Amino acid sequence: MTKDIIIPKVENVHIVAIQEWSEDFGENCWYAYLLNATNETLEMAMIVSRAYGLINGENRNTMQLRHVFATLEPKTAIKIEFLENSVLQLNNEFSLSYFIGNKMFDKKFIFKTNSININLITDLPAINMRGVLSV
């Protein structure tokens, strides 16, 4: 029965971290973005994010945050959330589900501990910005 379920592979859709100037904080801050580098519109994109890991030998977990975007046009990105400096020391996980037409896509993206930093910034696909790609 489960062999009949076809789960399409997520391609050219990413969760990225982009550093931007924040007037509120008076410094560069990291933000998570959903990046659609496909030629298709994403519909009903649902993201559940959380951070977890060890700090000084102690387990740390954040609450889960949920985000929904009705559509995301091709070759664009949309801001998901602010990434506070203390969570950059943790694994940051983003579970993404979305539709293209009547097909549902699903993938978990993770920024490993301390992988969101200026030394790992690269050119991002499909948009004229630089940031860090999750795995």
Side-chain angles (χ1 to χ4, degrees):
M1 186 96 135
T2 57
K3 65 182 171 127
D4 298 326
I5 298 173
I6 298 170
I7 301 172
K9 183 178 177 184
V10 172
E11 294 180 322
N12 298 317
V13 175
H14 309 278
I15 302 293
V16 299
I18 298 174
Q19 194 174 50
E20 299 175 344
W21 178 258
S22 170
E23 291 294 331
D24 293 336
F25 296 108
E27 65 182 7
N28 284 325
C29 297
W30 289 99
Y31 294 89
Y33 277 78
L34 172 58
L35 170 60
N36 179 8
T38 71
N39 293 319
E40 304 286 337
T41 298
L42 307 186
E43 298 171 353
M44 289 306 301
M46 298 165 275
I47 301 166
V48 177
S49 64
R50 68 184 188 112
Y52 60 91
L54 290 174
I55 297 179
N56 298 325
E58 187 178 326
N59 275 326
R60 298 289 176 111
N61 295 295
T62 64
M63 65 180 165
Q64 289 185 343
L65 298 176
R66 291 171 176 81
H67 311 275
V68 176
F69 302 101
T71 60
L72 182 59
E73 297 301 318
K75 311 290 187 207
T76 61
I78 191 165
K79 191 180 289 187
I80 302 169
E81 65 188 43
F82 168 70
L83 298 170
E84 202 271 327
N85 285 335
S86 65
V87 302
L88 301 180
Q89 305 170 51
L90 301 170
N91 295 305
N92 286 268
E93 179 182 283
F94 295 83
S95 297
L96 169 66
S97 298
Y98 62 91
F99 290 88
I100 294 178
N102 62 356
K103 289 184 183 175
M104 183 177 171
F105 295 77
D106 186 68
K107 184 173 181 180
K108 188 178 294 184
F109 297 88
I110 298 176
F111 291 102
K112 297 283 186 185
T113 302
N114 297 316
S115 67
I116 300 174
N117 68 68
I118 58 171
N119 297 322
L120 297 174
I121 290 177
T122 185
D123 292 331
L124 298 174
I127 60 172
N128 189 20
M129 297 181 86
R130 293 178 51 80
V132 178
L133 285 163
S134 63
V135 291

